[in-house]
Amino acid sequence: MKQYSKNYEIKNRAKDYLQGKYKAAVLLCFLNVLIPEAARTVINMLLAPFIPAVNLENGISAAAFLPAFASDAVIQLIASSVLGVFQAGCTLFFLNMACGQVYSTNDLFYGFRHDLGKFLTISTAHALLSVLCLLPGQDLLLICRVTRSFGYMLPAAGATLAGLAIYVPLSLGLALSYCLMLDFPDKSPYEVIALSFRIMHGSKRRLLMLELGFIPLMLLCICTLYVGFLWLMPYMQMNIVCFFLDIMNPREVS
């Protein structure tokens, strides 16, 4: 009979793997935020002229909003798909660390040097899910905040809740896709995505509870003016890797 580790055991294992290695892990996670966000800023600046202007101060109509939303969605999808490839390298870094292999910050660029098409397909799946499920609610909340009109509050809340209801289970199903692509490089990205959903069947709640357990630490990090995230991000990344290793190699119990 196979038995998976409890979440507290996974967290303890993540701490053990990071023991004495936090300096490299913090640097890697810092670069994994800095480089993609800097690139995203440049992409948004270059493509911003192609987004139709909308004057929110004087109200907004569907005819004015839809072209702007569509353009923004396309830009966000392209940027997130390309920059999401960095996550493949970040995952490789922590997999190497957990498995006692050689690791370095150069791992961050692994996805751009090896099987770029495969990792780009994986990152596009993540980006497409995020854009379709979360962007409508975000844009409606922005309109509600800028216009200060309560008329947009109900649609914004509805779009946000509906988006989350779809996004959460699907994102949990995709959660192991980068790990699996690295573990099974001969598989196609579509096979990896299908495999991720199959492996996560019955384990989504366990991963969700693991991720929700980070919320108190996130709140503490906010109190430190976000500096604490430099230490929390490596811990969270290692937890996902430990979850992957555990689900692929559960303990045999009689």
Side-chain angles (χ1 to χ4, degrees):
M1 178 180 176
K2 295 181 179 180
Q3 184 178 41
Y4 298 117
S5 300
K6 303 295 184 182
N7 281 348
Y8 75 87
E9 294 176 314
I10 291 176
K11 290 182 177 181
N12 289 337
R13 202 170 298 145
K15 293 177 184 177
D16 292 338
Y17 287 144
L18 286 168
Q19 187 69 33
K21 303 171 184 176
Y22 249 107
K23 183 178 179 180
V26 168
L27 177 60
L28 189 283
C29 286
F30 177 71
L31 293 175
N32 191 36
V33 173
L34 179 64
I35 297 175
E37 286 305 316
R40 188 185 299 275
T41 300
V42 173
I43 291 173
N44 287 336
M45 289 176 60
L46 292 175
L47 298 181
F50 298 97
I51 300 179
V54 178
N55 188 350
L56 296 177
E57 298 295 338
N58 298 326
I60 183 171
S61 64
F65 173 70
L66 289 178
F69 170 77
S71 300
D72 184 38
V74 170
I75 291 173
Q76 294 304 320
L77 177 61
I78 294 173
S80 297
S81 297
V82 174
L83 300 178
V85 177
F86 281 106
Q87 184 57 38
C90 184
T91 301
L92 176 65
F93 176 90
F94 285 97
L95 272 172
N96 285 337
M97 182 179 288
C99 296
Q101 303 297 316
V102 177
Y103 57 88
S104 74
T105 53
N106 287 331
D107 291 337
L108 185 62
F109 305 96
Y110 178 87
F112 292 96
R113 299 194 302 260
H114 304 85
D115 295 322
L116 174 59
K118 291 183 178 181
F119 288 114
L120 189 59
T121 301
I122 296 292
S123 64
T124 299
H126 284 268
L128 189 61
L129 178 62
S130 177
V131 168
L132 291 179
C133 295
L134 303 182
L135 191 60
Q138 291 174 359
D139 281 358
L140 286 172
L141 286 172
L142 175 62
I143 293 173
C144 183
R145 180 165 57 86
V146 173
T147 61
R148 298 179 180 179
S149 172
F150 290 103
Y152 294 105
M153 185 170 294
L154 186 59
T160 300
L161 292 175
L164 287 173
I166 300 172
Y167 176 80
V168 171
L170 291 182
S171 65
L172 290 172
L174 277 172
L176 302 183
S177 54
Y178 286 109
C179 294
L180 289 168
M181 192 75 260
L182 291 166
D183 209 20
F184 301 98
D186 293 333
K187 290 185 178 294
S188 72
Y190 308 104
E191 291 174 322
V192 165
I193 291 173
L195 180 60
S196 180
F197 274 97
R198 187 162 67 249
I199 290 175
M200 285 302 297
H201 181 71
S203 295
K204 292 178 182 177
R205 182 179 179 277
R206 193 162 62 100
L207 179 57
L208 178 61
M209 297 308 296
L210 178 68
E211 293 181 338
L212 290 177
F214 297 123
I215 291 179
L217 293 175
M218 291 179 179
L219 295 176
L220 288 176
C221 290
I222 293 174
C223 294
T224 65
L225 300 180
Y226 297 91
V227 174
F229 279 103
L230 288 174
W231 285 266
L232 179 58
M233 285 189 297
Y235 179 52
M236 293 174 64
Q237 291 281 355
M238 185 60 82
N239 268 273
I240 298 300
V241 165
C242 289
F243 182 90
F244 167 72
L245 295 174
D246 179 71
I247 206 171
M248 297 298 287
N249 298 283
R251 294 173 294 185
E252 293 287 348
V253 295
S254 56

